[in-house]
Amino acid sequence: MTIKAVLFDLDGTLLDRDLSLLEFVRDQYDRYPEFQIVNKESFVKRFIELDNHGYMWKDKVYQQIINEFSIQNMEWTLLLEDYIRNFQMYCIGFPNLLSMLTELKNNNIKLALVSNGFGQFQYDNFKALHIEHLFDEVLIPEWEGLRKPDKAIFNRALAKLDIAAENALFVGDHPDNDIRASRDVGMKAVWKRNKQFETVVDADAVINNLEELINIVLYNAT
């Protein structure tokens, strides 16, 4: 079956969120002297643990950090505001991101983003990768009123692209929200390998590097 559209998740798929967060937290530590009663590496390590790959929102992370390390004269709301405002400055895409998307676009493949997360925050992170000009549609739950793994958000994306499910491929890192859910609506699914998930993932293909998508999409090398 000919692939006419590729839909992507953001975090862990296009955006190297783990590396981006590491860079942000290290810099935030340096910018706030109140943190420096704590060893930097201990602070960073604990922040990353609490964040849990983004599954704990930062209000809880900052409150826990302040409590655990007994940090004085610091409001978690200030830190959360700093995170929301500045995280985009540290966003790092996975290798071959731009070249892969450009190659697909040059071959008339429609592109869409379907990403869970908070609307403007997530869109700012997406824009920080400088790839938005290549995308035909962007769907984020806060703006859509739907979130993965709800089938409706995949179907909405396909309708916006005017592409049938059997002619579309979804690329993501989450076994349920991305892979199972997109296959349930009739799409092919490619798992961007993520060490966080150790379960066997039932995908049509598995990739370690985004450049592998070119052969899969253009030459059906699954």
Side-chain angles (χ1 to χ4, degrees), residues 110-125:
K110 292 185 177 181
L111 304 177
L113 183 80
V114 183
S115 172
N116 284 349
F118 293 94
Q120 192 61 49
F121 175 79
Q122 200 72 334
Y123 189 65
D124 287 343
N125 295 342

Side-chain angles (χ1 to χ4, degrees), residues 32-46:
Y32 285 91
E34 294 87 350
F35 287 150
Q36 292 164 29
I37 63 167
V38 185
N39 171 271
K40 183 174 183 176
E41 290 310 309
S42 297
F43 177 89
V44 172
K45 181 174 182 289
R46 184 58 178 145

Side-chain angles (χ1 to χ4, degrees), residues 47-58:
F47 191 105
I48 299 299
E49 289 172 350
L50 290 170
D51 173 74
N52 189 29
H53 301 280
Y55 289 97
M56 180 181 283
W57 184 233
K58 300 311 153 296

Side-chain angles (χ1 to χ4, degrees), residues 172-181 183 189-206:
D173 70 307
H174 195 287
D176 292 320
N177 294 346
D178 295 327
I179 305 307
R180 180 189 55 77
R183 295 188 87 199
V190 172
W191 183 49
K192 172 71 164 57
R193 193 183 300 277
N194 187 329
K195 295 177 183 177
Q196 177 189 352
F197 303 107
E198 297 180 355
T199 56
V200 175
V201 179
D202 187 17
D204 294 287
V206 177

Side-chain angles (χ1 to χ4, degrees), residues 16-24 26 87 90 92-93:
D16 189 338
R17 187 188 174 280
D18 289 347
L19 181 57
S20 302
L21 183 65
L22 185 61
E23 292 298 311
F24 170 80
R26 285 174 172 164
F87 181 77
Y90 301 83
I92 301 167

Side-chain angles (χ1 to χ4, degrees), residues 127-188:
K127 287 197 301 181
L129 299 177
H130 305 293
I131 56 175
E132 73 273 15
H133 62 288
L134 296 169
F135 279 72
D136 299 282
E137 299 291 342
V138 174
L139 288 82
I140 299 174
E142 188 178 356
W143 294 344
E144 300 296 327
L146 298 165
R147 64 182 290 111
K148 298 180 297 183
D150 191 330
K151 293 181 181 180
I153 196 167
F154 296 96
N155 286 326
R156 182 175 294 179
L158 291 169
K160 285 176 176 286
L161 293 170
D162 192 25
I163 296 291
E166 59 265 29
N167 295 122
L169 181 149
F170 195 90
V171 185
D173 70 307
H174 195 287
D176 292 320
N177 294 346
D178 295 327
I179 305 307
R180 180 189 55 77
S182 60
R183 295 188 87 199
D184 281 350
V185 300
M187 300 170 64
K188 287 186 176 295

